[in-house]
Amino acid sequence: MRIVIIGAGVGGCASYLFLRKHLDTSTHTIHLYEAYPNPLTTSTVIGGGLGLAPNGLRTLSLLSDALPSRIAALGFEAPVAEFRTGPKDASLGTFNMGSKERYGWANLSVQRAAVHECVLEEAVKADEGKGGMVFGRRVAKLESVGLDGATKITFEDGSEEEADLVIGADGLRSKVRDYVVGEHVEPEYYGLCGIGGFVPLHFIEPYILHTSSPLVMTWGSTGFFGFSPVGTGRASLPSPSSPPQPKAMWWSIYASDTPPARTASTPLSIKAQLQRRFAGYEGAVPRIINALCTDEPGVSDVLVLPRYKLPNYLAKWHRADGGAVLVGDAAHVAPPESGQGVSFAVEDAAAFAMLLAHHLARRPDDEKDALRRAAGDYSALRKPRVETTITAAMKRIANKTEMSWFQRWLRDWIVWIMCRITPDSSNDRVFAYKVEEAVQEYLKARGA
């Protein structure tokens, strides 16, 4: 079988690794194509910080214990968050974010680049320089060809390749998604941008000495602001003259009717909006905001990430003939409030590889039938879990936007109560998930 993965983000690299783990690579060829240059060979650091949940780290441990351990060493374990409110930075209580004692891996505050680079390095190492991973080759179009339902992939440089299976890990504006759905699906901007960046850890240290957790999320009538230690930095290309320094990440929301243009004035307008919204606040929030756009050492540029969603959940994440499947953001766009964007992409990759290996073992002489069955089972297994989580997360976004004093008062009371009555088991449905057990239970229930 000829397998082509489009996109070398976390979902694409995880797909490459899990397929190599579960399939016989002497029988099946697996190629991965990425539109951009290899970030391991550039000085560019992509993205800001994120929370990597225990279920994501545990799924990566199915590849090797060393991989999630390396990611964890580059981040900061944050099993508990402290919720605070208002200009006086009053504590509302603490909330469990996922502990090592309960889930085997703790919730991690970490740079997105560190996660991506660790997974990418593992994939490059697995390729062993045999040309299975190609960077700087962008897809122009995909089309079904031949009687066997193969897919022809045409790249912008004019080159072509045929595949029996295409895995779309090409993100928000996925060309493979359009091929799966049969028409163009335009993501919708919904009026908010995620914003954030990095500051030296010493910026927040004086303010977290007496908090219950250094992961702090502050709400007010005028929005939301969070910060946390995030580890030492990117995974590769360390500078001998500048050893990695501990950092803190910060994040908030910026309201804009249209996606902000990427111009020099945008960070200044974002800073002005933050200063207006958080005027009179005490603690780390004004310390971080006032340092933005000042060239103060260690303070990163303001990262602006317009928020998009798909108009509707996709009816399926695969073509009916099984010749293409979607993973990660190509299939579903999880908002940051879910805390599951990266984790779901890794789970997708693992689940599909396991299902494909199962059906190929059952039908070694009929790969097309095995593909159809694996793709259908993959959508049926993964969609309910992912879409339930995304739906719940989208409802929580309103808590981070501007609101009346009464709405804030009511919200603060609800958060205060939740911090005191929510059991440790409240996150088990998401964090305790074991993808290999879910696959086996699904197949057993279907008698497959």
Side-chain angles (χ1 to χ4, degrees), residues 78-91:
V80 175
E82 178 157 17
F83 294 163
R84 306 184 77 84
T85 184
K88 297 299 183 181
D89 211 23
S91 178

Side-chain angles (χ1 to χ4, degrees), residues 6 138-144 151-156 159-161 166 175-176 179:
I6 306 298
R138 185 182 297 273
V139 173
K141 65 177 180 179
L142 302 97
E143 55 190 322
S144 182
T151 297
K152 183 171 76 172
I153 307 161
T154 303
F155 297 93
E156 289 186 353
S159 61
E160 298 177 346
E161 181 162 351
V166 177
K175 280 193 166 62
V176 184
Y179 179 59

Side-chain angles (χ1 to χ4, degrees), residues 172-173 186-190 192 259 306-310 333:
L172 178 69
R173 302 189 181 280
E186 183 64 28
E188 294 179 350
Y189 172 70
Y190 55 93
L192 295 174
R307 295 254 194 122
Y308 292 89
K309 63 179 181 179
L310 298 182
V333 183

Side-chain angles (χ1 to χ4, degrees), residues 175-233:
K175 280 193 166 62
V176 184
R177 182 200 298 133
D178 292 346
Y179 179 59
V180 165
V181 174
E183 61 183 6
H184 177 59
V185 178
E186 183 64 28
E188 294 179 350
Y189 172 70
Y190 55 93
L192 295 174
C193 293
I195 55 175
F198 303 101
V199 296
L201 180 60
H202 67 77
F203 269 45
I204 69 170
E205 283 179 321
Y207 307 104
I208 60 176
L209 293 176
H210 306 292
T211 58
S212 300
S213 169
L215 167 56
V216 177
M217 301 184 191
T218 297
W219 282 275
S221 299
T222 54
F224 165 88
F225 199 100
F227 57 86
S228 170
V230 74
T232 56

